[in-house]
Amino acid sequence: MELKYIGYELMCDESAVIEVSVGLPCYNAKDIAWLAFEGLCRQTGVTFKWELLICEEPHSLAIGREFAMQYADRLKEVGCARIVYIEMNQKVVLPTKWITIGQYISTQSMIFVMQATDCYAPAERLAVTYRRMCYRDADWLDFTHGYFYSFLHKKLILYAHNGKTNLHMAFATRNFQHLNYHDRNKGIDNWLMKSMRAGNKQFKLIRETGLYPSVDTDGFNSISRGRLQFYLKPVLPFKKTKFTIDEIGLPPDIVQRIKEQCSALHR
């Protein structure tokens, strides 16, 4: 089947100069995407306009356009000036989604932020990413610390590592030109960086080493299931932590919803 896709512009402030693009590729995310949207709705310190670009194929656990529109007003309050929902006619690998999302980026965008559907981002994520990347004219930024939570084990582990790629990744929008379609279905983040480094000999990478209130989760999104073993026996890049989901600085209503969803999973 020939791959086809169409972008639906759900919201657009045509007068806005959009400097940051947030890409959200989705698959099997119907029950967990609320976490990503809540994180984006609660961004702080945003002094620029940004856009949200969502990409998924029709399937039983798709989030759909209507789901995204539920958050439009709240996203607008924190600087989001444009929302595009890209619908594909068939299931594709993640590299294809990233490249397809790249075709809908606003022309003045300088920074591309990679958002996972099962991740509650730090409230400062967009502001920190914008400030540090613009100041350093960086090609890539990621965070070296962050918590992971397993719905299955009801447990946290701490990611603490300076790897090839890490958490809350973003890159200069100009580097999309170095990406080519690829059929791989794992090692996607390393493929992205390797492709960009190969095409940009002046590639500048910076790392944010602070530990912010945020959480990546395992149990609902397909791509994350391979990490479950680390909650029982953490090894690099993970460490044990004495903290619980209540104690890492997340908003109380987010913690409560995570707990409710966890309880429902165990019934």
Side-chain angles (χ1 to χ4, degrees), residues 216-244:
D216 287 67
T217 66
D218 289 312
F220 281 93
N221 205 357
S222 303
I223 199 170
S224 64
R225 291 171 185 161
R227 282 191 295 263
L228 296 180
Q229 59 182 316
F230 296 118
Y231 292 92
L232 301 176
K233 188 177 180 180
V235 295
L236 200 69
F238 297 102
K239 295 181 178 180
K240 292 182 180 179
T241 177
K242 63 180 180 180
F243 297 114
T244 68

Side-chain angles (χ1 to χ4, degrees), residues 1 5 18 24 34 41 50 52 55 65 72 145 149 160 176 189 195 197 202 211 215-216 219-220 238-239 242 244:
M1 182 187 300
Y5 50 86
I18 294 174
L24 183 66
W34 68 268
C41 286
W50 57 281
L52 176 60
C55 183
R65 282 177 277 171
H145 291 75
Y149 179 78
F176 259 106
D189 300 336
S195 298
R197 280 186 177 277
Q202 304 301 317
L211 177 57
V215 68
D216 287 67
F220 281 93
F238 297 102
K239 295 181 178 180
K242 63 180 180 180
T244 68

Side-chain angles (χ1 to χ4, degrees), residues 18 20 22 40 46 48-51 75 78-82 126:
I18 294 174
V20 174
V22 178
L40 291 172
V46 176
F48 47 86
K49 296 299 182 181
W50 57 281
E51 63 186 348
L75 290 169
V78 292
C80 183
R82 181 172 179 250
L126 294 185

